[in-house]
Amino acid sequence: MSRLLEFLSRLVSLFRKSKSERELSEEIRAHIEMQSEENIRRGMNADDARRAAQRAFGGVEQTKEHYRDQRGLPVLEILLQDIRYSARTLAKNPGFALIAVLTLALGIGANTTIFSFVDAVVLQPLPYPDPDRLVSLWEVSGPKAPDSFNTRGRGISEGADQPRRTTVSPANLVDYQKQSTAFTGLSSFDTAGMNLTGAGNPERILGEQVNANYFSILGIHPAQGRSFLPEEDRPGNNHVVIISDDLWRDRFGADPKLLGSSIALNSKKYQVIGIMPAGFVSPSQYGLADRLRFYVPAAFDAELLAQHGDHEVNVLGRLAPGATLQQAQAELNTISDRLGKQFPNTNENIRAEIAPLRNDIVREVQSSLYVLLACAGFTLLIACSNLANLLLARAVSRRREMAVRLALGASRARVVSELVVQCLLLSGIGCAAGLLGAVWAQRLFLFFAPPGIPRLDQVALNSHVLIVASLLSVITAILCGAFPAWQISRGQPIDSLRAGERNQAGASVLRWRNALMVAEIALSMVLLVGAGLLLKSFFILNGVPLGFQEQHVLAMNINLPNTRYTTGEQRFTFYMELEQKVSAIPGVESIAYANRLPMRGGWSSGISLESGTPEGTAMVESDFQAVNPGYFRTLGIPLLRGRTISSQDTKATEQVAVVSSEFGNRFLPGQEVIGRRFRRHDKAPWVTIIGVVYDVRRDGKAAAIHPQVFLSAAQTDLYPTWLADFAVRATVEPHSLLSSIQQAVWAIDKDQPVTNVKTLEEVLSRSLSPRRFQMILLLLFSGVALTLGLVGIYGVVSYSVSQRTPEMGIRMALGAQRSNIYALILRQTSGLIFAGILLGTGCALALSRFLESFLFSVKPTDPATYVALAILLAVVALFASGVPARRATRVNPVIALRYE
Amino acid sequence: MSAEKTDLLQGTLDLMVLKTLQALGPLHGWGIARRIEQISDKALEMNQGTLYPALLRLEQRGWISSKWGASENNRRAKFYALTASGRRQLSREEAQWSRVSGIMLRFLKASEEKS
């Protein structure tokens, strides 16, 4: 208790110092006077009395010191003193302070920014209860696709012989649900767009079709109303909808009566039975630019549920309590095998696989972010070694001052701690500046970020990020500060006090500075190699031919709701009419429409192809599109042989198709393609191949070339085609045609929205934007690193030159020419630079394999890149060292020799 | 020499100050120093200055309180007085001293008899 009182008094007394000092002096004075008077009473004379009194008292200053130690909190006071002193010192050297703070701000700011993204996107748990129990489920087709295999091709497709991940067949899903025990539930989910009409303008909104247990699985239920009932997840009962909170507010003005009434989706009435809580984010939202605003039951119909080969939907689920991922996977394997035996036609070699839901969401972005974090980390290291160099130089110049302090009795710890405090102050300011920069950089990043990075809305400077930033700055301070301090405080003070700038401390300091310089060069090399590889990769990618001409083409979505356009024939009629109307618009060169244009998706399917094999036919898989005659001209796809689709190819005439040359190369090598026939299955009509066109990279520049089949849109019974994409090739600025096209659409159907209007160039640019973004960032980092490295090299070489000035003087006095001196310094510096580049190359070779997934037809060990960058770095570094080297040659030998 | 003096007093100075204040009532710093020198019969020559940090410590722990007042010669001086908790601390330390010195005395006597 008394100890506590003591501590509190000590704390309080910090604020009463001057008063306390005054009183103490007064008290001591009074004491000595009283003792003097007593001495006088005893018979001494006045002077003797006073001296005796003082001697009896002991050292006044010492007493005061002990008193002060007892009174305040010495540790705190020393700290405050050091801080004040450091602040004063920094204020007197604004240049040094500015460089140091900027260097740190850059390093810490960059790391904080990237880390805040890593935190929001990768580290934070998903916003659902128990999010780690959520899994995504998909199906994998083994090396050989089963006979009947139809998919919308979502997911990653590998080479022809690799297992291909696809969406799930609802029929299989039902079996997984029924036969498994490891899940509390599995639900399908699929994004769907519908036209909302009625209150206000027709608007196309995006939503999801889900099973009834979707919200139970996620663990988040509507804030108002209720979730779906199992009965509502069947055809006929399924005209109910749950809407999002923002749709309720934006479109319906938060009308309290909306719940229970109906809204018109695709011209059908859907009863609103629930409104989701504000801030609810469905897993599909991640990676989607448009907001998901409604949820309707999936309501699979009987036909779909009988088709085990129709892989249509995404699936997520929740593990049952106590079940592990491995157990669930094993169970699914058993079920898949069982289904494979039960339905060999469709399920042979099909397996279901699961993985944590989070992996799917962050998968693509995760590795990018980690690469960026590593780059930011390297940049910080370079900044740190620059700072350490700077501080080392300063500490050297303060050697005498420190020696004096040590000689006067300061403990080594005290001297070192003062330097550390100075570094902490610097890094504190640097950290604050860095955080400010990070806020700004965050906004910039968000603005330029390519679309489709999930969870960006959660990026903020939250507590995690701040803690990391503070830790970084403390570690940097200790790294940069303690080390020079320790270096300097070694050795006897007397050595430093002796006259002469050069001594042993100088030599070892130089060694360390050289080592730091080598490290900086190595790190810069690593960053440069990363940037260089990405740059090369990007340029190669850019040069990849798409197979069609993307300039001057305006594309848009016109999704005809199946409530008003129930048959393929009706949809085709709409598009035909539209083509007629739009061709009358001036500036329109040609028109294309298809189920999907390139880079917007498509479907793939298995077909039975007439080939030159003994069986006569072979099962092959190909990508499909249904197009109009003008398609090839509009997109600029050259014809190689035969003819393209024409207006003569209608329902009444023979079924025809055009294929890409890859189709011929892969499935009919060395044989005549034109005239061959294929069909979907045994009961389907034969389709004759009438032409071969140039290969098209349907999924963008980075995608592999798949075999392609083009059907005529007019021959609608061939496949259940859904025409949805419309494009025009323009002779004028493409966007200027939009309003005329819209007028044409509304003239046919006033309730039909036109969405997603972009030129193909814009679509292409968007598809490249993640790579471009990453490349730019990496270039930025390596640019910063290079600049920092240059500054560092300049500093170190200047220092070494100044250390060796007398030596230069002697050499010149002995007859060396300026050019000899110059060459000498450069030779020695280039040795260090070479070492740094070598070290950096080694590290880059080891680390570059982490970049492999981002590179496009560039090996991580691409020799040309390494050599080019090594040369670049060497030239730049030599240039940086050349400037101070030149200064060495200007030394006047006489002055140099007097330098002592 | 002076190191010896301070060491001896460190543990016992507090006790002597408290006892002095109990015996003589509120007293200023010099008065306490003089009393200690008197009682110890000049056997203890201490640097009087060491008293002041000790007085501060005692005050911080709440065992004594201080107040500015007028001395015999009407000089302004700081007077220290024992507090209630100081009285309790004093009796605690007195009891401890008696106990410890009693044990030591018996121990030394016993060793003497043995030899």
Side-chain angles (χ1 to χ4, degrees), chain A residues 2-3 5-6 9-10 23 26-27 30-31 33-35 37-38 56-58 63 66-67 70-71, chain B residues 28-30 33-34 42 46-49 52-53 56-57 60-63 68 73 75-78 80:
Chain A
S2 52
R3 294 263 178 199
L5 282 173
E6 182 182 341
S9 315
R10 285 190 188 235
E23 289 188 358
E26 202 178 333
E27 220 182 332
H31 181 118
E33 282 195 17
M34 285 193 259
Q35 182 69 45
E37 282 166 12
E38 170 86 358
F57 190 85
T63 302
H66 286 140
Y67 190 88
Q70 178 69 37
R71 176 182 68 200
Chain B
H28 48 61
W30 179 69
R34 191 176 53 162
K42 295 289 177 83
M46 59 179 229
N47 285 334
Q48 294 171 344
Y52 285 96
L56 179 60
R57 184 171 61 240
Q60 283 176 337
R61 293 190 184 174
W63 295 332
W68 281 94
N73 300 357
R75 165 172 287 108
R76 204 170 118 82
K78 204 175 196 185
Y80 297 91

Side-chain angles (χ1 to χ4, degrees), chain A residues 393-560:
Chain A
R394 263 184 66 78
V396 164
S397 62
R398 291 179 63 194
R399 230 173 28 239
R400 285 242 173 101
E401 174 202 334
M402 275 183 248
V404 167
R405 284 210 198 168
L406 286 170
L408 280 177
S411 67
R412 217 169 284 277
R414 183 82 176 76
V415 170
V416 170
S417 81
E418 191 249 311
L419 285 171
V420 173
V421 165
Q422 182 174 76
C423 292
L424 278 171
L425 190 65
L426 271 177
S427 81
I429 300 177
C431 177
L435 281 175
L436 274 173
V439 169
W440 181 77
Q442 241 179 26
R443 291 222 191 100
L444 217 64
F445 200 102
L446 284 171
F447 187 73
F448 283 109
I453 297 185
R455 309 184 73 184
L456 278 184
D457 54 312
Q458 293 193 309
V459 170
L461 286 181
N462 60 13
S463 53
H464 286 189
V465 174
L466 288 174
I467 291 175
V468 164
S470 323
L471 265 175
L472 270 179
S473 55
V474 168
I475 293 176
T476 353
I478 295 180
L479 271 179
C480 302
F483 171 69
W486 169 71
Q487 268 291 314
I488 296 309
S489 64
R490 267 190 336 178
Q492 293 299 322
I494 187 65
D495 291 333
S496 312
L497 286 171
R498 262 195 224 121
E501 285 291 314
R502 295 169 303 112
N503 51 41
Q504 276 305 99
S508 81
V509 162
L510 190 58
R511 257 202 311 265
W512 279 105
R513 296 196 73 184
N514 284 341
L516 280 172
M517 180 170 94
V518 169
E520 275 190 43
I521 295 179
L523 284 169
S524 302
M525 182 69 185
V526 172
L527 281 176
L528 277 175
V529 165
L533 288 173
L534 283 181
L535 193 67
K536 184 165 179 181
S537 186
F538 187 77
F539 275 117
I540 292 182
L541 186 60
N542 229 6
V544 168
L546 279 172
F548 58 91
Q549 304 293 322
E550 72 271 13
Q551 296 98 341
H552 304 302
V553 177
L554 185 68
M556 62 202 76
N557 270 127
I558 305 179
N559 289 289
L560 302 171

